[in-house]
Amino acid sequence: MAYQLDAHHAPVDSSVPLEYATEDGSLKILGFWIFLAADVVLFSCLFATYIVLQHNTYGGPTAQQLFDVPGFVTETLLLLTSSFTCGLAIFEMHRNRLQPMIGWWIVTILLGMGFVGMEISEFAKYVGEGANITRSAFLSAFFILVGTHGTHVTIGIFWMLGLLVQLLRYGITAITARKAFVASLYWHFLDAVWIFIFTVVYLTGKVS
Amino acid sequence: MTTHSDVNPSHGATLPSDPKAHHETFPWKHILGFVLSLVLTFAALGLVLSAALPLTAVIVSIVVLAVLQLLVQLLLFMHLTERHGPATHVLTLVFGFFVAFTIVAGSAWIMFTFHATVA
Amino acid sequence: MLPHYFNHLFVTGTDIYIADVLIILTSLGIVGVLTYFKKWKWLWREWLTTVDHKKIGIMYIIAATAMFFRGGMDGLMMRTQLAVPNNHFLGAEHYDQVFTTHGTIMILFMAMPYLIGLINVAMPLQIGARDVAFPYLNAISFWTFFFGAMLFNLSFVIGGSPDAGWTSYAPLAGPTFDPGPGENYYLFGLNLAGIGTLASGINFLVTIIKMRAPGMKLMDMPMFTWSTLITSILIIFAFPVLTVALSLLTFDRLFGSHIFSMTHGGMPMMWVNLFWIWGHPEVYIVILPAFGILSEVISTFSGKKLFGYSAMVGSMVAIAFLSFTVWVHHFFTMGAGPAVNSFFGVSTMLIAIPTGVKVFNWIFTMYRGKIRFTTAMLWALAFIPTFVVGGMTGVMLAVAPADYQYHNSYFLIAHFHYTLIGGTVFGVFAGLYYWWPKMFGFKLNERLGRWNFWTFIISFNVTFLPMFLLGLMGMTRRMYTYPPGLGWSHLNMIETVGAFGQAIGMMFLAVNIVWSIKYGERDVTGDAWDGRALEWSTTSPAPEYNFAHVPVVYGRDAFWDMKYGKNREKYQVKAKPYRPIHMPNNSGRPFLMSLAFFISFWGFVFKWYLVGGLGLAAVFVFMYLRSFEYDTDHYISVEEIEHTEAAAGRL
Amino acid sequence: MSRMLSPKKRRGLAFAALSASVLLLSGCGSQIAVLHPEGPVARQEYNLIIWSFILMAFVGLAVFILFAYMLIKYRARPGVEKYYDPNLEGNRKLEVVWTVIPLLIVIALAIPTVKTTYALTQPPVQAHDPMEIDVTSAAWKWIFQYPGQHIETVNYLVIPTGVPVKFILTSVGPMNTFWIPELGGMEFTMPGANLGLWLEASKSGVYLGRGANFSGKGFAHMQFNVYAKPQAEFNQWVAQVKAQDPPLTMAQANQLVNHHGLSPILTFSSYPAGAVPQNQNTLMSGM
């Protein structure tokens, strides 16, 4: 969809990675980078809110009492590894090897599901202990910040599942390559956001 | 930013490429990134659990480690430096970080000092 | 299962009944006309499913005009209530709803869509593009805005309007003090429209960066396109903040969280903080495109290049940067300590410098020019002194200790009406009169235009100038009534007279449009005003594909250069044969998806989670369908291009 | 540029218009409360208002005069061709001038702004011992507690003249702002926070105060009188309240806070310790 061109067919430029090969592809990748920059700001507001409210526990459990080190470290490792495998999938895509690409893609999805599953059980445990969203401003900010990230990850999983079907159906083309690349940007970005949740919420919560 | 219009590849070679990056047969960059991210994560965890440093020093160090991890993701996984046309996405991202920093630091400053209006 | 306020789902009250009847009659009228003239299919094919930036722009402008009349009615009701002391025209609750909807509608559903509409119409044409970067997304932007506005307006008849002010400060807007659905309408309506706005920002930015005509450097772009670029960046980084603020308050209201609540450790001030982190850039989002329009109009009707082009660009960049570092000046009186107040006071004053640079450059654009006083030019010229009054009082407000005396008073109200009407609205009117022939192929009438202009601008000053004085007399905003004997009564009466004068001014605009549709001067050349940028080089209205040949550009003011400039020869290359043009397909999905959003969010307003959830599920289904759609575009054949160009007399 | 008014003439014109508008604003009757400061805080703010107005009027006049000149001189008319220069696109010197002059004006404004911002956090006149009044906005009434005197008033305020008063502001309902224009600018009242504001009345009189931040249905009626009296009369008033008025019970205190509605003027000779919202503003512990 290169609306600028008077050409008969959208040209495929072989000198650049496949995802950038069509005009439309490079427009969409730029658009998505810009969206990620906007998402940085969205998360920064949630972080600011959490930082301002983190000590307002109103007699409820504090971060120190609540967080469980093995639990959040495991979540972190799952997400870090999934970011790595997602990178490998794109690496294989650039080498035009469909089978390994799909393999790493599926591993990434499974690791993502593992992460979301652990997060849900973590939330369920807190709620079971009476530490729910209505207990204190600290907990409200915690659930909303971490939950927003979890929602992003969940959407990412559904997105990648949809792309899995398209990869199986069409193979690696300029269009599927662009779509997979954009999804991988999203996935790595969520990993980066999690690192800050790990640091600002969990580690800082344990230290103070 | 480029001074040429980059809308039409047929007008000239305005889409520079890095052919080297796409002929690698082993994902060195990704493995390096993964190892670095593990090292940085456990370094931060160790700092917190060992409680060897004073509180402020710990918080500053783990935030620095987190920023390093962000760079690992951006540079080694997200192909941030691959340029196909102007580096608009880098500029946008940098401005995004500026705004994010302003929001977090500004909010903390405002909200933590607002009881102190009278002496 | 039904929420407790189901009982009063339909709002009661005489004026509401009248509104109900009017809404039903208008809707029936529209349905009747469409059916009688067999226009349903036309409406769907040509408008509801379009992805053409020009048509989307026109739909934005139509919606914004409707919202202007709605917001204006609110304004008239407020002024009627305040005309005399101790008036009983509106009760306190009703008045509170009216000023809340007035502010919200005017900022978010009038000013922004007007400007985004004009950007849609003119920007792609100015850079010689065939459409925006993401035409399908552009349609989603429009329809989410439209349904967001509809959701907000629905509150008037179903459930009750929000009544905590357009700033919606917690805890007044929280569940304790405002349990009804009105505030939920505000939160969900704004959030829905906000999705579309963010998408527009990304869309315009990518369009400008990647889709300029060959040869057009960034520093060759028309100033309106520059202002769009900067505005897009502001949108991209400001709107996520609004999304977060609204969502957090939604959580407090729907799910009992305590971010902004009075108890359990919540901090209401955090709402104020987040709201204005968005709110201040928002002010520039609605003023910078107006600056851009002004630059185009003044330069065109002075027959001159823009004075100090680089300084104009640089000052906009500076304003954009500074706009993210001044938000506390909206709450100096919230006691964040002298260091905070000093920092934000001084950073606010600094904005005066780039703004001043722009004002002087506009004035000097006229220096040694040939000024034609068309209606568009009159609006642009009126902008300068009016905005200067707004800007100067803005600097006065930036003086933190003095702001302790102005804050929330009518002085502040006067200030921001001088900037938002004198800046944004005058800019929009200048843009409407200027680009009208490009949109519709005929000019608006100049004589009626002058009536429109003079009635409105005189009445505007009659309304808002006395407010400065009232503020210093101690009258605060949002008072539904006031006692006699404070010296406020005469000034209030004068203001009310002015408000009705403005309404008469607007009537001239309506009459002008109707009259000109029938008798307006047709624009057969495509160059209605002896224009300077590329939008005037194609036909009026522009064909679907904008340009049969994408123009190649050799510098600033490309079309002027083409006509009179030193590169004239270069532009007169022999026309190549036409080639098929690649264009995106129309799609009904943006409309349907936004409708699903509307239904979902309407469910959430009333805490009907089943409706809300199903609606959201439908939204995701539409997204999935799009992801699996590969047949998204088509080619316009050479024959069709030849036919279109021949019909426009261009072969 | 040389064809325009000479600098001298221009300055004279600017000065004349300026003084006329200042006279107009300040001489317009005592009802313009902000321009009739009756205490040191309001006076400092007034000085800044006037100074910023003068600076802005200077800029404004320059703009208006230039603007009018351009419109008249370069309107499309016979003979305009001889000036016409379509390719004129800038002038570095002029652009520097209109960047530097506003910068100087901003500096001239910023310095007193910062100074006054810091000054207003201190009690205005150090000669007297300051007193404290705890102010609470409720829906929709003002509650004033005098911790030194241990009395409470609702919807009116009595203060001694010549004494700096430290108002400690909070809210048990929606936010509001506490504003007595003749004595000084406003400050927010917020649930969960205690903000401070210094004010002082220089002379006796009745001043009008009001809430200035919208707080719901009864907002427009949140108006109160401030009676400033000499210290001796103030003491006399306190003694009278102690002798004549009833004490506030906890039940009445809760009723004032929880009943959302207007309230008449009330006076209490004492109040229970539990009825001071300023003492309960802690976010970390839930009590």
Side-chain angles (χ1 to χ4, degrees):
Chain A
M1 279 202 296
Y3 312 116
Q4 283 288 334
L5 299 173
D6 285 333
H8 229 304
H9 298 284
V12 174
D13 184 341
S14 56
S15 69
V16 296
L18 196 55
E19 63 268 19
Y20 288 97
T22 64
E23 191 58 40
D24 186 47
S26 79
L27 290 182
K28 286 196 168 143
I29 291 170
L30 175 60
F32 196 76
W33 271 110
I34 296 170
F35 168 77
L36 287 184
D39 224 16
V40 166
V41 174
L42 183 133
F43 275 107
S44 79
C45 294
L46 293 172
F47 274 108
T49 308
Y50 179 80
I51 289 169
V52 166
L53 297 176
Q54 61 182 330
H55 300 300
N56 297 1
T57 50
Y58 202 68
T62 64
Q64 183 114 36
Q65 293 158 351
L66 212 56
F67 300 148
D68 151 53
V69 176
F72 71 74
V73 172
T74 316
E75 285 173 51
T76 307
L77 291 180
L78 280 174
L79 211 55
L80 281 179
T81 314
S82 80
S83 187
F84 172 57
T85 57
C86 182
L88 291 180
I90 298 299
F91 178 80
E92 296 296 348
M93 181 183 91
H94 282 152
R95 298 173 70 205
N96 202 16
R97 285 158 37 115
L98 182 63
Q99 291 307 330
M101 179 196 176
I102 286 177
W104 289 120
W105 199 255
I106 291 171
V107 173
T108 308
I109 292 172
L110 290 175
L111 288 167
M113 285 174 169
F115 169 83
V116 172
M118 280 202 68
E119 190 164 276
I120 290 172
S121 67
E122 182 196 341
F123 280 14
K125 182 169 150 269
Y126 296 161
V127 171
E129 293 165 2
N132 60 28
I133 197 169
T134 64
R135 180 64 193 84
S136 68
F138 152 65
L139 282 166
S140 302
F142 166 79
F143 278 111
I144 294 173
L145 168 60
V146 180
T148 303
H149 176 267
T151 311
H152 271 71
V153 175
T154 311
I155 290 171
I157 289 169
F158 280 103
W159 184 0
M160 291 171 99
L161 281 172
L163 292 187
L164 182 63
V165 176
Q166 294 181 37
L167 283 168
L168 289 168
R169 195 187 288 175
Y170 302 109
I172 300 174
T173 68
I175 293 177
T176 54
R178 183 258 301 162
K179 289 185 176 187
F181 184 76
V182 167
S184 82
L185 286 183
Y186 181 74
W187 197 259
H188 296 308
F189 169 75
L190 289 184
D191 191 48
V193 172
W194 177 262
I195 292 302
F196 280 87
I197 290 180
F198 172 72
T199 306
V200 173
V201 176
Y202 289 102
L203 289 183
T204 310
K206 273 296 165 193
V207 84
S208 49
Chain B
M1 280 180 205
T2 177
T3 51
H4 293 286
S5 160
D6 45 315
V7 289
N8 192 338
S10 65
H11 272 220
T14 50
L15 301 179
S17 70
D18 180 10
K20 208 171 58 212
H22 305 289
H23 294 292
E24 296 228 17
T25 51
F26 193 76
W28 287 113
K29 254 168 99 175
H30 294 86
I31 289 174
L32 175 67
F34 186 49
V35 171
L36 277 176
S37 65
L38 289 179
V39 169
L40 292 167
T41 303
F42 283 105
L45 186 65
L47 271 175
V48 168
L49 293 185
S50 69
L53 292 173
L55 181 68
T56 325
V58 172
I59 291 179
V60 171
S61 335
I62 60 178
V63 169
V64 170
L65 291 174
V67 172
L68 290 176
Q69 281 242 45
L70 173 68
L71 292 176
V72 168
Q73 294 284 332
L74 284 173
L75 298 174
L76 297 176
F77 289 168
M78 291 171 82
H79 310 261
L80 178 75
T81 52
E82 275 182 18
R83 286 188 47 174
H84 309 282
T88 317
H89 62 297
V90 181
L91 286 177
T92 321
L93 212 55
V94 167
F95 193 61
F97 289 136
F98 161 74
V99 174
F101 174 79
T102 310
I103 290 171
V104 174
S107 298
W109 187 35
I110 295 158
M111 301 296 290
F112 288 143
T113 61
F114 87 113
H115 287 275
T117 39
V118 284
Chain C
M1 269 312 281
L2 291 175
H4 64 280
Y5 39 76
F6 186 74
N7 297 335
H8 28 98
L9 188 62
F10 292 98
V11 185
T12 52
T14 319
D15 58 322
I16 307 284
Y17 292 141
I18 295 171
D20 289 348
V21 170
L22 282 177
I23 289 169
I24 292 168
L25 284 180
T26 314
S27 313
L28 283 177
I30 293 171
V31 169
V33 168
L34 286 168
T35 311
Y36 182 79
F37 290 104
K38 299 197 172 67
K39 287 287 187 186
W40 282 106
K41 210 171 201 175
W42 166 82
L43 183 69
W44 178 257
R45 274 226 195 119
E46 297 289 318
W47 294 94
L48 302 191
T49 62
T50 188
V51 294
D52 182 335
H53 69 96
K54 302 177 287 297
K55 286 185 175 168
I56 288 175
I58 289 170
M59 290 195 291
Y60 265 114
I61 289 168
I62 292 170
T65 306
M67 288 294 103
F68 196 11
F69 279 91
R70 155 91 216 256
M73 281 306 293
D74 287 341
L76 288 182
M77 285 164 81
M78 286 155 72
R79 284 314 326 165
T80 307
Q81 164 66 16
L82 293 177
V84 290
N86 286 338
N87 197 4
H88 295 291
F89 172 67
L90 298 175
E93 279 167 318
H94 201 157
Y95 186 86
D96 298 347
Q97 297 184 351
V98 169
F99 73 67
T100 301
T101 52
H102 171 77
T104 315
I105 286 175
M106 286 304 200
I107 299 274
L108 285 134
F109 301 132
M110 185 282 283
M112 288 200 56
Y114 254 142
L115 293 165
I116 291 179
L118 288 170
I119 290 171
N120 259 306
V121 165
M123 182 273 287
L125 289 169
Q126 285 199 324
I127 61 171
R130 291 244 154 87
D131 205 319
V132 292
F134 313 119
Y136 179 87
L137 185 66
N138 202 21
I140 293 180
S141 287
F142 172 73
W143 288 112
T144 48
F145 145 70
F146 178 82
F147 280 112
M150 287 302 105
L151 185 61
F152 184 84
N153 278 278
L154 192 61
S155 67
F156 189 58
V157 283
I158 301 180
S161 297
D163 59 359
W166 85 279
T167 48
S168 194
Y169 279 11
L172 179 64
T176 322
F177 289 96
D178 209 338
E183 197 55 31
N184 294 348
Y185 271 116
Y186 169 94
L187 295 169
F188 282 100
L190 261 57
N191 238 341
L192 182 49
I195 295 169
T197 309
L198 178 62
S200 289
I202 296 175
N203 212 341
F204 295 149
L205 181 57
V206 176
T207 307
I208 295 173
I209 295 296
K210 298 283 254 185
M211 295 178 63
R212 298 189 305 279
M216 185 184 277
K217 300 178 197 118
L218 281 175
M219 291 304 271
D220 291 340
M221 299 194 305
M223 198 49 62
F224 180 64
T225 300
W226 257 115
S227 72
T228 305
L229 175 72
I230 307 288
T231 306
S232 304
I233 292 173
L234 291 181
I235 287 176
I236 289 161
F237 295 111
F239 266 76
V241 185
L242 178 68
T243 304
V244 170
L246 295 171
S247 305
L248 291 175
L249 189 52
T250 306
F251 266 78
D252 276 11
R253 291 181 59 85
L254 261 54
F255 308 121
S257 62
H258 291 291
I259 305 289
F260 308 125
S261 64
M262 294 164 52
T263 57
H264 293 76
M267 290 176 95
M269 187 177 168
M270 193 62 191
W271 165 268
V272 181
N273 184 51
L274 287 174
F275 185 86
W276 289 114
I277 291 176
W278 161 77
H280 201 79
E282 167 68 9
V283 173
Y284 291 95
I285 290 169
V286 295
I287 200 68
L288 287 182
F291 283 179
I293 295 169
L294 195 58
S295 304
E296 300 291 319
V297 171
I298 289 190
S299 158
T300 300
F301 293 109
S302 303
K304 275 196 61 226
K305 286 185 172 163
L306 194 62
F307 199 88
Y309 179 96
S310 322
M312 286 297 228
V313 173
S315 52
M316 272 199 293
V317 173
I319 289 172
F321 249 102
L322 286 171
S323 74
F324 280 103
T325 60
V326 297
W327 75 90
V328 173
H329 71 221
H330 295 271
F331 50 101
F332 279 142
T333 59
M334 217 166 259
V340 173
N341 278 4
S342 299
F343 175 86
F344 285 94
V346 174
S347 66
T348 306
M349 290 175 197
L350 287 177
I351 293 193
I353 297 168
T355 314
V357 167
K358 296 191 79 72
V359 169
F360 285 110
N361 276 322
W362 286 321
I363 291 177
F364 272 79
T365 299
M366 297 186 284
Y367 174 63
R368 302 188 67 176
K370 263 190 298 194
I371 304 172
R372 288 177 285 157
F373 292 99
T374 58
T375 311
M377 185 64 166
L378 287 177
W379 285 113
L381 290 175
F383 183 113
I384 292 176
T386 318
F387 190 77
V388 164
V389 171
M392 290 187 315
T393 48
V395 175
M396 291 171 73
L397 281 153
V399 178
D403 179 68
Y404 276 51
Q405 289 280 31
Y406 307 132
H407 186 224
N408 276 338
S409 76
Y410 262 73
F411 188 90
L412 170 78
I413 306 302
H415 155 72
F416 73 67
H417 281 92
Y418 266 85
T419 57
L420 287 173
I421 296 182
T424 309
V425 174
F426 288 8
V428 163
F429 285 161
L432 274 183
Y433 277 91
Y434 183 60
W435 281 307
W436 193 273
K438 191 46 67 184
M439 287 188 270
F440 300 107
F442 62 90
K443 287 184 183 178
L444 288 174
N445 180 270
E446 283 290 316
R447 175 188 274 275
L448 283 167
R450 279 194 296 275
W451 275 96
N452 171 210
F453 171 78
W454 286 110
T455 328
F456 192 86
I457 186 149
I458 292 170
S459 311
F460 161 77
N461 283 292
V462 171
T463 312
F464 293 104
L465 206 57
M467 286 193 186
F468 285 115
L469 215 51
L470 264 183
L472 299 177
M473 293 171 116
M475 182 158 170
T476 69
R477 70 195 299 193
R478 297 170 177 175
M479 295 180 77
Y480 82 97
T481 191
Y482 55 90
L486 297 170
W488 301 357
S489 310
H490 296 302
L491 290 172
N492 270 301
M493 180 52 98
I494 292 170
E495 288 167 12
T496 304
V497 171
F500 280 91
Q502 289 182 71
I504 294 169
M506 287 304 294
M507 284 303 134
F508 280 112
L509 179 64
V511 170
N512 196 352
I513 291 172
V514 174
W515 192 89
S516 303
I517 287 175
K518 223 168 151 84
Y519 308 108
E521 182 193 338
R522 305 290 126 174
D523 172 28
V524 289
T525 61
D527 183 14
W529 310 111
D530 197 8
R532 313 180 66 83
L534 287 175
E535 76 263 34
W536 305 108
S537 72
T538 185
T539 53
S540 291
E544 184 196 352
Y545 46 79
N546 291 354
F547 302 93
H549 293 295
V550 168
V552 178
V553 174
Y554 299 98
R556 270 175 220 166
D557 292 316
F559 186 51
W560 178 269
D561 203 14
M562 217 177 275
K563 291 186 290 187
Y564 314 108
K566 58 183 191 308
N567 293 316
R568 226 171 343 181
E569 282 85 42
K570 284 196 216 163
Y571 281 108
Q572 278 158 1
V573 285
K574 234 184 285 166
K576 295 166 284 184
Y578 294 126
R579 293 158 80 187
I581 296 173
H582 193 196
M583 294 302 286
N585 291 347
N586 281 1
S587 172
R589 214 176 293 115
F591 176 85
L592 295 173
M593 190 177 114
S594 308
L595 181 64
F597 255 128
F598 172 82
I599 292 166
S600 162
F601 281 13
W602 189 66
F604 282 123
V605 163
F606 286 94
K607 302 190 191 177
W608 299 337
Y609 294 114
L610 188 67
V611 178
L614 286 175
L616 268 191
V619 170
F620 283 111
V621 167
F622 282 124
M623 286 183 177
Y624 244 72
L625 287 175
R626 171 64 178 181
S627 178
F628 280 85
E629 183 179 53
Y630 276 66
D631 179 23
T632 55
D633 43 73
H634 66 279
Y635 283 91
I636 298 176
S637 68
V638 172
E639 297 78 59
E640 202 185 327
I641 300 168
E642 278 171 353
H643 182 80
T644 312
E645 294 294 304
R650 296 228 161 194
L651 261 187
Chain D
M1 295 298 298
S2 57
R3 278 197 209 88
M4 293 189 301
L5 293 175
S6 73
K8 209 172 175 184
K9 249 182 179 169
R10 218 164 43 189
R11 218 178 305 136
L13 202 66
F15 186 75
L18 189 79
S19 17
S21 40
V22 171
L23 280 177
L24 192 73
L25 270 177
S26 53
C28 213
S30 61
Q31 281 170 318
I32 308 176
V34 170
L35 302 183
H36 283 85
E38 300 288 4
V41 174
R43 179 152 295 280
Q44 289 180 64
E45 289 161 352
Y46 169 81
N47 290 342
L48 269 177
I49 290 171
I50 295 302
W51 176 233
S52 64
F53 180 77
I54 290 170
L55 289 176
M56 287 304 112
F58 171 74
V59 179
L61 275 175
V63 171
F64 281 29
I65 290 166
L66 268 175
F67 177 69
Y69 173 80
M70 298 291 177
L71 287 192
I72 293 162
K73 175 128 194 198
Y74 299 110
R75 69 186 191 277
R77 63 188 157 107
V80 78
E81 290 289 346
K82 69 172 184 271
Y83 307 114
Y84 185 50
D85 181 4
N87 292 318
L88 184 75
E89 54 184 350
N91 182 320
R92 192 49 53 86
K93 259 187 219 155
L94 277 176
E95 291 181 52
V96 170
V97 167
W98 61 59
T99 313
V100 171
I101 292 179
L103 182 67
L104 295 177
I105 290 175
V106 165
I107 292 171
L109 195 52
I111 292 170
T113 297
V114 173
K115 264 192 187 156
T116 312
T117 302
Y118 277 88
L120 291 184
T121 63
Q122 304 290 331
V125 177
Q126 307 277 6
H128 297 268
D129 282 343
M131 72 175 283
E132 182 183 320
I133 297 177
D134 292 341
V135 179
T136 304
S137 67
W140 292 280
K141 51 197 85 85
W142 289 100
I143 300 167
F144 303 107
Q145 291 166 333
Y146 298 66
Q149 292 69 25
H150 206 69
I151 58 176
E152 175 170 323
T153 61
V154 174
N155 283 343
Y156 80 100
L157 190 56
V158 183
I159 55 170
T161 51
V163 175
V165 184
K166 183 185 199 172
F167 291 96
I168 302 294
L169 313 169
T170 194
S171 173
V172 288
M175 288 183 184
N176 211 319
T177 59
F178 172 75
W179 189 26
I180 309 166
E182 282 153 302
L183 301 188
M186 70 187 76
E187 182 109 345
F188 267 90
T189 62
M190 251 186 289
N194 296 339
L195 301 184
L197 179 69
W198 286 108
L199 293 177
E200 182 184 321
S202 301
K203 57 179 193 196
S204 308
V206 186
Y207 307 113
L208 198 59
R210 71 173 64 252
N213 189 69
F214 178 62
S215 63
K217 207 167 80 173
F219 163 69
H221 302 292
M222 287 183 73
Q223 188 178 302
F224 55 92
N225 280 335
V226 182
Y227 301 93
K229 303 176 178 201
Q231 183 78 51
E233 279 179 45
F234 174 78
N235 293 343
Q236 207 182 332
W237 171 75
V238 173
Q240 199 182 338
V241 169
K242 286 273 178 206
Q244 292 180 352
D245 289 290
L248 176 72
T249 63
M250 203 55 220
Q252 273 173 302
N254 288 335
Q255 163 78 5
L256 271 176
V257 168
N258 295 331
H259 173 68
H260 295 173
L262 304 179
S263 162
I265 286 168
L266 299 171
T267 315
F268 300 101
S269 59
S270 71
Y271 53 86
V276 185
Q278 278 77 357
N279 294 342
Q280 296 152 18
N281 282 332
T282 162
L283 300 161
M284 303 202 199
S285 61
M287 285 324 305

